[in-house]
Amino acid sequence: MENRNKAGHLCALLTIIIWGTTFISTKILLVDFQLVEILFFRFVMGLLALLIIYPHRLKATTKRQELTFALAGLCGICLYYLLENIALTYTMASNVGVIISVAPFFTAIMSHLFLKEEGKLRANFFIGFVVAMIGIFLISFNGSKLELNPVGDLLALLAAFVWACYSILTKKISSYGYHTILTTRRVFFYGILFMIPTLFMFDFHLELSRFTNPVYLFNIIFLGLGASALCFVSWNLAVKVLGAVKTSIYIYMVPVITVVTSTLILHEQITALSIIGTLLTLAGLFLSERKTMRKEVNHGLTK
């Protein structure tokens, strides 16, 4: 049991490390691609990769299960990314970074309402949430002026809520007993299906010739195989093992990974506020996980 929990935490950590670096590839691709084009290409590539890696069919599903897969695809693949990206056109990236980090809080509330097996919310979760949010605020704004943009900020908040819905649906899907790659693939399929109508709204262009540029090709492969295929499987595995709440807490680390990556790869200057924010965010993550992790270990020993 203890080893299984450690594997779950490693899966969540691996996922967040990769997701925290995706902004670099997205930034490079945005020179010649629209955001909706990047999303479509990366998830189609992710779907094809999972099909090649595990070429088995998902059999004997019920209509209720298919509805759950479809809702997960709508929330986690289509709506979340579209809402987040549209929010960025209306408000500052720093605002979006802070607001999206509220997702673990929404996940905890929804888990308490809909997933009784997740257990009661403890005081350490809320204390950790407050500490982490202060840290994320310091990292995101880093001394700059706070400017509220109601439309963009509301869209970002909605994106955080949608991701919480995806987390709850993922936990529900994990109880079906199917292979994680098969369920992730099915979710990708529905997500792409829901995404297709939006392509016409955002002036989508196929133009595969753009991938003759090796830089673009490398970055879309990273987003498709790494950030999509690998990360969604590892994230879903973590949710299956740890639960929706404990896994979602790792979202606090995304701004931290972004700061470290910006410093190491883009050679951006790290400030005192960023350092303090990073320490507070990690402290918040530790506080949120601490008692729960101890409970897991004890439960594993007595079982």
PDB file of all heavy atoms in Angstrom, residues 39-75:
ATOM      1  N   LEU A  39      -3.648  23.215 -29.510  1.00  0.00           N
ATOM      2  CA  LEU A  39      -4.442  22.279 -28.705  1.00  0.00           C
ATOM      3  C   LEU A  39      -4.906  21.091 -29.543  1.00  0.00           C
ATOM      4  O   LEU A  39      -4.793  19.937 -29.116  1.00  0.00           O
ATOM      5  CB  LEU A  39      -5.659  22.988 -28.108  1.00  0.00           C
ATOM      6  CG  LEU A  39      -5.397  24.006 -26.995  1.00  0.00           C
ATOM      7  CD1 LEU A  39      -6.702  24.662 -26.575  1.00  0.00           C
ATOM      8  CD2 LEU A  39      -4.727  23.343 -25.799  1.00  0.00           C
ATOM      9  N   PHE A  40      -5.438  21.380 -30.711  1.00  0.00           N
ATOM     10  CA  PHE A  40      -5.957  20.311 -31.572  1.00  0.00           C
ATOM     11  C   PHE A  40      -4.845  19.358 -31.989  1.00  0.00           C
ATOM     12  O   PHE A  40      -4.988  18.130 -31.869  1.00  0.00           O
ATOM     13  CB  PHE A  40      -6.625  20.915 -32.808  1.00  0.00           C
ATOM     14  CG  PHE A  40      -7.206  19.894 -33.731  1.00  0.00           C
ATOM     15  CD1 PHE A  40      -8.391  19.232 -33.420  1.00  0.00           C
ATOM     16  CD2 PHE A  40      -6.567  19.568 -34.929  1.00  0.00           C
ATOM     17  CE1 PHE A  40      -8.924  18.275 -34.279  1.00  0.00           C
ATOM     18  CE2 PHE A  40      -7.094  18.618 -35.787  1.00  0.00           C
ATOM     19  CZ  PHE A  40      -8.284  17.966 -35.457  1.00  0.00           C
ATOM     20  N   PHE A  41      -3.736  19.889 -32.449  1.00  0.00           N
ATOM     21  CA  PHE A  41      -2.630  19.044 -32.920  1.00  0.00           C
ATOM     22  C   PHE A  41      -2.056  18.192 -31.787  1.00  0.00           C
ATOM     23  O   PHE A  41      -1.754  17.015 -31.969  1.00  0.00           O
ATOM     24  CB  PHE A  41      -1.524  19.898 -33.545  1.00  0.00           C
ATOM     25  CG  PHE A  41      -1.882  20.494 -34.884  1.00  0.00           C
ATOM     26  CD1 PHE A  41      -1.622  21.825 -35.163  1.00  0.00           C
ATOM     27  CD2 PHE A  41      -2.488  19.723 -35.858  1.00  0.00           C
ATOM     28  CE1 PHE A  41      -1.954  22.382 -36.391  1.00  0.00           C
ATOM     29  CE2 PHE A  41      -2.834  20.265 -37.092  1.00  0.00           C
ATOM     30  CZ  PHE A  41      -2.560  21.599 -37.354  1.00  0.00           C
ATOM     31  N   ARG A  42      -1.897  18.783 -30.604  1.00  0.00           N
ATOM     32  CA  ARG A  42      -1.257  18.041 -29.504  1.00  0.00           C
ATOM     33  C   ARG A  42      -2.136  16.902 -29.019  1.00  0.00           C
ATOM     34  O   ARG A  42      -1.630  15.814 -28.719  1.00  0.00           O
ATOM     35  CB  ARG A  42      -0.870  18.967 -28.348  1.00  0.00           C
ATOM     36  CG  ARG A  42      -2.017  19.614 -27.624  1.00  0.00           C
ATOM     37  CD  ARG A  42      -1.561  20.471 -26.441  1.00  0.00           C
ATOM     38  NE  ARG A  42      -1.364  19.650 -25.240  1.00  0.00           N
ATOM     39  CZ  ARG A  42      -1.137  20.164 -24.031  1.00  0.00           C
ATOM     40  NH1 ARG A  42      -1.064  21.479 -23.868  1.00  0.00           N
ATOM     41  NH2 ARG A  42      -0.981  19.370 -22.998  1.00  0.00           N
ATOM     42  N   PHE A  43      -3.446  17.111 -28.962  1.00  0.00           N
ATOM     43  CA  PHE A  43      -4.308  16.043 -28.462  1.00  0.00           C
ATOM     44  C   PHE A  43      -4.588  14.972 -29.513  1.00  0.00           C
ATOM     45  O   PHE A  43      -4.765  13.805 -29.162  1.00  0.00           O
ATOM     46  CB  PHE A  43      -5.604  16.623 -27.894  1.00  0.00           C
ATOM     47  CG  PHE A  43      -5.421  17.206 -26.518  1.00  0.00           C
ATOM     48  CD1 PHE A  43      -5.441  18.572 -26.324  1.00  0.00           C
ATOM     49  CD2 PHE A  43      -5.191  16.370 -25.431  1.00  0.00           C
ATOM     50  CE1 PHE A  43      -5.245  19.111 -25.055  1.00  0.00           C
ATOM     51  CE2 PHE A  43      -4.990  16.894 -24.166  1.00  0.00           C
ATOM     52  CZ  PHE A  43      -5.021  18.268 -23.971  1.00  0.00           C
ATOM     53  N   VAL A  44      -4.606  15.339 -30.777  1.00  0.00           N
ATOM     54  CA  VAL A  44      -4.706  14.330 -31.839  1.00  0.00           C
ATOM     55  C   VAL A  44      -3.458  13.459 -31.816  1.00  0.00           C
ATOM     56  O   VAL A  44      -3.536  12.228 -31.914  1.00  0.00           O
ATOM     57  CB  VAL A  44      -4.899  14.992 -33.218  1.00  0.00           C
ATOM     58  CG1 VAL A  44      -4.702  13.968 -34.338  1.00  0.00           C
ATOM     59  CG2 VAL A  44      -6.287  15.602 -33.328  1.00  0.00           C
ATOM     60  N   MET A  45      -2.296  14.103 -31.669  1.00  0.00           N
ATOM     61  CA  MET A  45      -1.046  13.350 -31.579  1.00  0.00           C
ATOM     62  C   MET A  45      -1.037  12.463 -30.335  1.00  0.00           C
ATOM     63  O   MET A  45      -0.601  11.305 -30.379  1.00  0.00           O
ATOM     64  CB  MET A  45       0.150  14.311 -31.539  1.00  0.00           C
ATOM     65  CG  MET A  45       1.499  13.617 -31.550  1.00  0.00           C
ATOM     66  SD  MET A  45       2.876  14.796 -31.599  1.00  0.00           S
ATOM     67  CE  MET A  45       2.692  15.444 -33.261  1.00  0.00           C
ATOM     68  N   GLY A  46      -1.531  12.979 -29.226  1.00  0.00           N
ATOM     69  CA  GLY A  46      -1.609  12.193 -27.990  1.00  0.00           C
ATOM     70  C   GLY A  46      -2.513  10.988 -28.147  1.00  0.00           C
ATOM     71  O   GLY A  46      -2.190   9.884 -27.692  1.00  0.00           O
ATOM     72  N   LEU A  47      -3.661  11.180 -28.803  1.00  0.00           N
ATOM     73  CA  LEU A  47      -4.600  10.078 -29.042  1.00  0.00           C
ATOM     74  C   LEU A  47      -3.965   8.993 -29.899  1.00  0.00           C
ATOM     75  O   LEU A  47      -4.066   7.793 -29.592  1.00  0.00           O
ATOM     76  CB  LEU A  47      -5.859  10.621 -29.726  1.00  0.00           C
ATOM     77  CG  LEU A  47      -6.926   9.586 -30.132  1.00  0.00           C
ATOM     78  CD1 LEU A  47      -7.489   8.888 -28.909  1.00  0.00           C
ATOM     79  CD2 LEU A  47      -8.031  10.259 -30.931  1.00  0.00           C
ATOM     80  N   LEU A  48      -3.292   9.394 -30.974  1.00  0.00           N
ATOM     81  CA  LEU A  48      -2.639   8.433 -31.860  1.00  0.00           C
ATOM     82  C   LEU A  48      -1.520   7.682 -31.136  1.00  0.00           C
ATOM     83  O   LEU A  48      -1.341   6.474 -31.326  1.00  0.00           O
ATOM     84  CB  LEU A  48      -2.071   9.148 -33.098  1.00  0.00           C
ATOM     85  CG  LEU A  48      -3.118   9.755 -34.052  1.00  0.00           C
ATOM     86  CD1 LEU A  48      -2.431  10.559 -35.155  1.00  0.00           C
ATOM     87  CD2 LEU A  48      -3.988   8.661 -34.657  1.00  0.00           C
ATOM     88  N   ALA A  49      -0.776   8.390 -30.289  1.00  0.00           N
ATOM     89  CA  ALA A  49       0.318   7.768 -29.538  1.00  0.00           C
ATOM     90  C   ALA A  49      -0.216   6.693 -28.591  1.00  0.00           C
ATOM     91  O   ALA A  49       0.337   5.588 -28.507  1.00  0.00           O
ATOM     92  CB  ALA A  49       1.085   8.824 -28.749  1.00  0.00           C
ATOM     93  N   LEU A  50      -1.304   6.993 -27.887  1.00  0.00           N
ATOM     94  CA  LEU A  50      -1.894   6.017 -26.965  1.00  0.00           C
ATOM     95  C   LEU A  50      -2.472   4.822 -27.716  1.00  0.00           C
ATOM     96  O   LEU A  50      -2.452   3.696 -27.206  1.00  0.00           O
ATOM     97  CB  LEU A  50      -2.987   6.689 -26.124  1.00  0.00           C
ATOM     98  CG  LEU A  50      -2.506   7.778 -25.147  1.00  0.00           C
ATOM     99  CD1 LEU A  50      -3.695   8.361 -24.389  1.00  0.00           C
ATOM    100  CD2 LEU A  50      -1.476   7.229 -24.171  1.00  0.00           C
ATOM    101  N   LEU A  51      -2.966   5.072 -28.913  1.00  0.00           N
ATOM    102  CA  LEU A  51      -3.504   3.981 -29.745  1.00  0.00           C
ATOM    103  C   LEU A  51      -2.387   3.038 -30.183  1.00  0.00           C
ATOM    104  O   LEU A  51      -2.550   1.816 -30.205  1.00  0.00           O
ATOM    105  CB  LEU A  51      -4.222   4.557 -30.964  1.00  0.00           C
ATOM    106  CG  LEU A  51      -4.939   3.566 -31.882  1.00  0.00           C
ATOM    107  CD1 LEU A  51      -6.032   2.832 -31.121  1.00  0.00           C
ATOM    108  CD2 LEU A  51      -5.524   4.291 -33.090  1.00  0.00           C
ATOM    109  N   ILE A  52      -1.225   3.601 -30.508  1.00  0.00           N
ATOM    110  CA  ILE A  52      -0.072   2.797 -30.940  1.00  0.00           C
ATOM    111  C   ILE A  52       0.528   2.032 -29.754  1.00  0.00           C
ATOM    112  O   ILE A  52       0.874   0.856 -29.863  1.00  0.00           O
ATOM    113  CB  ILE A  52       0.993   3.701 -31.589  1.00  0.00           C
ATOM    114  CG1 ILE A  52       0.455   4.281 -32.913  1.00  0.00           C
ATOM    115  CG2 ILE A  52       2.289   2.924 -31.840  1.00  0.00           C
ATOM    116  CD1 ILE A  52       1.324   5.375 -33.505  1.00  0.00           C
ATOM    117  N   ILE A  53       0.640   2.717 -28.614  1.00  0.00           N
ATOM    118  CA  ILE A  53       1.257   2.105 -27.430  1.00  0.00           C
ATOM    119  C   ILE A  53       0.424   0.947 -26.887  1.00  0.00           C
ATOM    120  O   ILE A  53       0.953  -0.083 -26.479  1.00  0.00           O
ATOM    121  CB  ILE A  53       1.457   3.177 -26.325  1.00  0.00           C
ATOM    122  CG1 ILE A  53       2.518   4.182 -26.756  1.00  0.00           C
ATOM    123  CG2 ILE A  53       1.865   2.525 -25.000  1.00  0.00           C
ATOM    124  CD1 ILE A  53       2.598   5.402 -25.860  1.00  0.00           C
ATOM    125  N   TYR A  54      -0.894   1.129 -26.898  1.00  0.00           N
ATOM    126  CA  TYR A  54      -1.774   0.105 -26.320  1.00  0.00           C
ATOM    127  C   TYR A  54      -2.956  -0.121 -27.274  1.00  0.00           C
ATOM    128  O   TYR A  54      -4.058   0.391 -27.055  1.00  0.00           O
ATOM    129  CB  TYR A  54      -2.272   0.568 -24.942  1.00  0.00           C
ATOM    130  CG  TYR A  54      -2.821  -0.543 -24.081  1.00  0.00           C
ATOM    131  CD1 TYR A  54      -1.968  -1.450 -23.443  1.00  0.00           C
ATOM    132  CD2 TYR A  54      -4.195  -0.687 -23.880  1.00  0.00           C
ATOM    133  CE1 TYR A  54      -2.468  -2.462 -22.640  1.00  0.00           C
ATOM    134  CE2 TYR A  54      -4.706  -1.700 -23.077  1.00  0.00           C
ATOM    135  CZ  TYR A  54      -3.827  -2.587 -22.464  1.00  0.00           C
ATOM    136  OH  TYR A  54      -4.320  -3.597 -21.666  1.00  0.00           O
ATOM    137  N   PRO A  55      -2.730  -0.892 -28.344  1.00  0.00           N
ATOM    138  CA  PRO A  55      -3.746  -1.059 -29.400  1.00  0.00           C
ATOM    139  C   PRO A  55      -4.845  -2.058 -29.042  1.00  0.00           C
ATOM    140  O   PRO A  55      -5.061  -3.053 -29.733  1.00  0.00           O
ATOM    141  CB  PRO A  55      -2.907  -1.551 -30.585  1.00  0.00           C
ATOM    142  CG  PRO A  55      -1.797  -2.311 -29.946  1.00  0.00           C
ATOM    143  CD  PRO A  55      -1.479  -1.589 -28.661  1.00  0.00           C
ATOM    144  N   HIS A  56      -5.514  -1.805 -27.944  1.00  0.00           N
ATOM    145  CA  HIS A  56      -6.630  -2.655 -27.517  1.00  0.00           C
ATOM    146  C   HIS A  56      -7.903  -1.830 -27.452  1.00  0.00           C
ATOM    147  O   HIS A  56      -7.859  -0.613 -27.257  1.00  0.00           O
ATOM    148  CB  HIS A  56      -6.343  -3.283 -26.147  1.00  0.00           C
ATOM    149  CG  HIS A  56      -5.122  -4.138 -26.116  1.00  0.00           C
ATOM    150  ND1 HIS A  56      -5.102  -5.433 -26.586  1.00  0.00           N
ATOM    151  CD2 HIS A  56      -3.861  -3.873 -25.693  1.00  0.00           C
ATOM    152  CE1 HIS A  56      -3.892  -5.934 -26.431  1.00  0.00           C
ATOM    153  NE2 HIS A  56      -3.114  -5.006 -25.889  1.00  0.00           N
ATOM    154  N   ARG A  57      -9.039  -2.481 -27.608  1.00  0.00           N
ATOM    155  CA  ARG A  57     -10.315  -1.789 -27.570  1.00  0.00           C
ATOM    156  C   ARG A  57     -10.876  -1.738 -26.151  1.00  0.00           C
ATOM    157  O   ARG A  57     -10.641  -2.646 -25.348  1.00  0.00           O
ATOM    158  CB  ARG A  57     -11.322  -2.500 -28.482  1.00  0.00           C
ATOM    159  CG  ARG A  57     -11.037  -2.342 -29.967  1.00  0.00           C
ATOM    160  CD  ARG A  57     -12.081  -3.096 -30.779  1.00  0.00           C
ATOM    161  NE  ARG A  57     -13.434  -2.592 -30.484  1.00  0.00           N
ATOM    162  CZ  ARG A  57     -14.542  -3.190 -30.882  1.00  0.00           C
ATOM    163  NH1 ARG A  57     -14.469  -4.350 -31.552  1.00  0.00           N
ATOM    164  NH2 ARG A  57     -15.729  -2.672 -30.591  1.00  0.00           N
ATOM    165  N   LEU A  58     -11.606  -0.665 -25.888  1.00  0.00           N
ATOM    166  CA  LEU A  58     -12.316  -0.543 -24.619  1.00  0.00           C
ATOM    167  C   LEU A  58     -13.692  -1.171 -24.810  1.00  0.00           C
ATOM    168  O   LEU A  58     -14.554  -0.617 -25.483  1.00  0.00           O
ATOM    169  CB  LEU A  58     -12.449   0.931 -24.230  1.00  0.00           C
ATOM    170  CG  LEU A  58     -13.063   1.252 -22.867  1.00  0.00           C
ATOM    171  CD1 LEU A  58     -12.265   0.618 -21.752  1.00  0.00           C
ATOM    172  CD2 LEU A  58     -13.141   2.758 -22.669  1.00  0.00           C
ATOM    173  N   LYS A  59     -13.881  -2.349 -24.218  1.00  0.00           N
ATOM    174  CA  LYS A  59     -15.089  -3.124 -24.492  1.00  0.00           C
ATOM    175  C   LYS A  59     -16.073  -3.094 -23.322  1.00  0.00           C
ATOM    176  O   LYS A  59     -15.716  -2.793 -22.194  1.00  0.00           O
ATOM    177  CB  LYS A  59     -14.713  -4.584 -24.783  1.00  0.00           C
ATOM    178  CG  LYS A  59     -13.799  -4.756 -25.989  1.00  0.00           C
ATOM    179  CD  LYS A  59     -13.422  -6.226 -26.164  1.00  0.00           C
ATOM    180  CE  LYS A  59     -12.460  -6.416 -27.332  1.00  0.00           C
ATOM    181  NZ  LYS A  59     -12.059  -7.839 -27.483  1.00  0.00           N
ATOM    182  N   ALA A  60     -17.308  -3.430 -23.653  1.00  0.00           N
ATOM    183  CA  ALA A  60     -18.377  -3.660 -22.668  1.00  0.00           C
ATOM    184  C   ALA A  60     -18.648  -2.455 -21.774  1.00  0.00           C
ATOM    185  O   ALA A  60     -18.928  -2.591 -20.581  1.00  0.00           O
ATOM    186  CB  ALA A  60     -18.040  -4.874 -21.804  1.00  0.00           C
ATOM    187  N   THR A  61     -18.562  -1.260 -22.325  1.00  0.00           N
ATOM    188  CA  THR A  61     -18.897  -0.072 -21.543  1.00  0.00           C
ATOM    189  C   THR A  61     -20.407   0.161 -21.580  1.00  0.00           C
ATOM    190  O   THR A  61     -21.080  -0.186 -22.551  1.00  0.00           O
ATOM    191  CB  THR A  61     -18.197   1.179 -22.104  1.00  0.00           C
ATOM    192  OG1 THR A  61     -18.569   1.364 -23.478  1.00  0.00           O
ATOM    193  CG2 THR A  61     -16.692   1.048 -22.004  1.00  0.00           C
ATOM    194  N   THR A  62     -20.928   0.761 -20.545  1.00  0.00           N
ATOM    195  CA  THR A  62     -22.353   1.080 -20.483  1.00  0.00           C
ATOM    196  C   THR A  62     -22.580   2.511 -20.981  1.00  0.00           C
ATOM    197  O   THR A  62     -21.623   3.294 -21.118  1.00  0.00           O
ATOM    198  CB  THR A  62     -22.871   0.966 -19.043  1.00  0.00           C
ATOM    199  OG1 THR A  62     -22.229   1.975 -18.232  1.00  0.00           O
ATOM    200  CG2 THR A  62     -22.560  -0.414 -18.469  1.00  0.00           C
ATOM    201  N   LYS A  63     -23.831   2.855 -21.231  1.00  0.00           N
ATOM    202  CA  LYS A  63     -24.159   4.210 -21.680  1.00  0.00           C
ATOM    203  C   LYS A  63     -23.781   5.233 -20.613  1.00  0.00           C
ATOM    204  O   LYS A  63     -23.317   6.333 -20.922  1.00  0.00           O
ATOM    205  CB  LYS A  63     -25.644   4.306 -21.996  1.00  0.00           C
ATOM    206  CG  LYS A  63     -26.061   3.554 -23.254  1.00  0.00           C
ATOM    207  CD  LYS A  63     -27.539   3.749 -23.547  1.00  0.00           C
ATOM    208  CE  LYS A  63     -27.939   2.991 -24.824  1.00  0.00           C
ATOM    209  NZ  LYS A  63     -29.390   3.163 -25.117  1.00  0.00           N
ATOM    210  N   ARG A  64     -23.958   4.876 -19.357  1.00  0.00           N
ATOM    211  CA  ARG A  64     -23.599   5.772 -18.249  1.00  0.00           C
ATOM    212  C   ARG A  64     -22.093   6.011 -18.206  1.00  0.00           C
ATOM    213  O   ARG A  64     -21.641   7.133 -17.969  1.00  0.00           O
ATOM    214  CB  ARG A  64     -24.084   5.169 -16.925  1.00  0.00           C
ATOM    215  CG  ARG A  64     -23.994   6.116 -15.738  1.00  0.00           C
ATOM    216  CD  ARG A  64     -24.519   5.447 -14.477  1.00  0.00           C
ATOM    217  NE  ARG A  64     -24.519   6.362 -13.354  1.00  0.00           N
ATOM    218  CZ  ARG A  64     -25.496   7.216 -13.072  1.00  0.00           C
ATOM    219  NH1 ARG A  64     -26.558   7.261 -13.860  1.00  0.00           N
ATOM    220  NH2 ARG A  64     -25.419   8.014 -12.025  1.00  0.00           N
ATOM    221  N   GLN A  65     -21.320   4.958 -18.438  1.00  0.00           N
ATOM    222  CA  GLN A  65     -19.867   5.105 -18.462  1.00  0.00           C
ATOM    223  C   GLN A  65     -19.420   5.968 -19.638  1.00  0.00           C
ATOM    224  O   GLN A  65     -18.542   6.830 -19.488  1.00  0.00           O
ATOM    225  CB  GLN A  65     -19.213   3.720 -18.529  1.00  0.00           C
ATOM    226  CG  GLN A  65     -19.328   2.923 -17.235  1.00  0.00           C
ATOM    227  CD  GLN A  65     -18.799   1.509 -17.367  1.00  0.00           C
ATOM    228  OE1 GLN A  65     -18.650   0.982 -18.469  1.00  0.00           O
ATOM    229  NE2 GLN A  65     -18.525   0.870 -16.237  1.00  0.00           N
ATOM    230  N   GLU A  66     -20.030   5.747 -20.799  1.00  0.00           N
ATOM    231  CA  GLU A  66     -19.684   6.550 -21.973  1.00  0.00           C
ATOM    232  C   GLU A  66     -20.021   8.019 -21.738  1.00  0.00           C
ATOM    233  O   GLU A  66     -19.279   8.907 -22.177  1.00  0.00           O
ATOM    234  CB  GLU A  66     -20.428   6.042 -23.215  1.00  0.00           C
ATOM    235  CG  GLU A  66     -19.895   4.726 -23.767  1.00  0.00           C
ATOM    236  CD  GLU A  66     -18.468   4.828 -24.295  1.00  0.00           C
ATOM    237  OE1 GLU A  66     -18.041   5.930 -24.690  1.00  0.00           O
ATOM    238  OE2 GLU A  66     -17.774   3.791 -24.315  1.00  0.00           O
ATOM    239  N   LEU A  67     -21.109   8.276 -21.032  1.00  0.00           N
ATOM    240  CA  LEU A  67     -21.464   9.652 -20.701  1.00  0.00           C
ATOM    241  C   LEU A  67     -20.415  10.281 -19.793  1.00  0.00           C
ATOM    242  O   LEU A  67     -20.046  11.455 -19.968  1.00  0.00           O
ATOM    243  CB  LEU A  67     -22.834   9.688 -20.010  1.00  0.00           C
ATOM    244  CG  LEU A  67     -23.324  11.068 -19.540  1.00  0.00           C
ATOM    245  CD1 LEU A  67     -23.467  12.016 -20.723  1.00  0.00           C
ATOM    246  CD2 LEU A  67     -24.647  10.945 -18.784  1.00  0.00           C
ATOM    247  N   THR A  68     -19.896   9.499 -18.850  1.00  0.00           N
ATOM    248  CA  THR A  68     -18.843   9.988 -17.956  1.00  0.00           C
ATOM    249  C   THR A  68     -17.573  10.287 -18.737  1.00  0.00           C
ATOM    250  O   THR A  68     -16.913  11.310 -18.515  1.00  0.00           O
ATOM    251  CB  THR A  68     -18.545   8.951 -16.849  1.00  0.00           C
ATOM    252  OG1 THR A  68     -19.758   8.588 -16.198  1.00  0.00           O
ATOM    253  CG2 THR A  68     -17.585   9.525 -15.817  1.00  0.00           C
ATOM    254  N   PHE A  69     -17.202   9.398 -19.669  1.00  0.00           N
ATOM    255  CA  PHE A  69     -16.035   9.641 -20.536  1.00  0.00           C
ATOM    256  C   PHE A  69     -16.226  10.926 -21.332  1.00  0.00           C
ATOM    257  O   PHE A  69     -15.304  11.742 -21.463  1.00  0.00           O
ATOM    258  CB  PHE A  69     -15.833   8.471 -21.514  1.00  0.00           C
ATOM    259  CG  PHE A  69     -15.373   7.195 -20.871  1.00  0.00           C
ATOM    260  CD1 PHE A  69     -15.971   5.985 -21.196  1.00  0.00           C
ATOM    261  CD2 PHE A  69     -14.337   7.182 -19.958  1.00  0.00           C
ATOM    262  CE1 PHE A  69     -15.553   4.796 -20.620  1.00  0.00           C
ATOM    263  CE2 PHE A  69     -13.905   6.003 -19.362  1.00  0.00           C
ATOM    264  CZ  PHE A  69     -14.524   4.805 -19.698  1.00  0.00           C
ATOM    265  N   ALA A  70     -17.424  11.100 -21.878  1.00  0.00           N
ATOM    266  CA  ALA A  70     -17.714  12.274 -22.702  1.00  0.00           C
ATOM    267  C   ALA A  70     -17.623  13.558 -21.874  1.00  0.00           C
ATOM    268  O   ALA A  70     -17.037  14.564 -22.323  1.00  0.00           O
ATOM    269  CB  ALA A  70     -19.101  12.142 -23.329  1.00  0.00           C
ATOM    270  N   LEU A  71     -18.173  13.537 -20.666  1.00  0.00           N
ATOM    271  CA  LEU A  71     -18.114  14.711 -19.787  1.00  0.00           C
ATOM    272  C   LEU A  71     -16.676  15.026 -19.387  1.00  0.00           C
ATOM    273  O   LEU A  71     -16.282  16.197 -19.304  1.00  0.00           O
ATOM    274  CB  LEU A  71     -18.971  14.487 -18.543  1.00  0.00           C
ATOM    275  CG  LEU A  71     -20.492  14.507 -18.757  1.00  0.00           C
ATOM    276  CD1 LEU A  71     -21.215  14.107 -17.475  1.00  0.00           C
ATOM    277  CD2 LEU A  71     -20.947  15.890 -19.212  1.00  0.00           C
ATOM    278  N   ALA A  72     -15.876  13.979 -19.140  1.00  0.00           N
ATOM    279  CA  ALA A  72     -14.459  14.179 -18.798  1.00  0.00           C
ATOM    280  C   ALA A  72     -13.716  14.805 -19.977  1.00  0.00           C
ATOM    281  O   ALA A  72     -12.886  15.699 -19.793  1.00  0.00           O
ATOM    282  CB  ALA A  72     -13.824  12.852 -18.406  1.00  0.00           C
ATOM    283  N   GLY A  73     -14.012  14.340 -21.189  1.00  0.00           N
ATOM    284  CA  GLY A  73     -13.390  14.913 -22.380  1.00  0.00           C
ATOM    285  C   GLY A  73     -13.795  16.355 -22.588  1.00  0.00           C
ATOM    286  O   GLY A  73     -12.968  17.216 -22.939  1.00  0.00           O
ATOM    287  N   LEU A  74     -15.080  16.638 -22.358  1.00  0.00           N
ATOM    288  CA  LEU A  74     -15.579  18.008 -22.504  1.00  0.00           C
ATOM    289  C   LEU A  74     -14.907  18.940 -21.502  1.00  0.00           C
ATOM    290  O   LEU A  74     -14.464  20.040 -21.859  1.00  0.00           O
ATOM    291  CB  LEU A  74     -17.096  18.017 -22.298  1.00  0.00           C
ATOM    292  CG  LEU A  74     -17.777  19.385 -22.307  1.00  0.00           C
ATOM    293  CD1 LEU A  74     -17.644  20.048 -23.670  1.00  0.00           C
ATOM    294  CD2 LEU A  74     -19.251  19.257 -21.920  1.00  0.00           C
ATOM    295  N   CYS A  75     -14.796  18.486 -20.248  1.00  0.00           N
ATOM    296  CA  CYS A  75     -14.233  19.334 -19.190  1.00  0.00           C
ATOM    297  C   CYS A  75     -12.711  19.445 -19.255  1.00  0.00           C
ATOM    298  O   CYS A  75     -12.158  20.550 -19.326  1.00  0.00           O
ATOM    299  CB  CYS A  75     -14.645  18.795 -17.823  1.00  0.00           C
ATOM    300  SG  CYS A  75     -16.409  18.937 -17.475  1.00  0.00           S
TER     301      CYS A  75
END
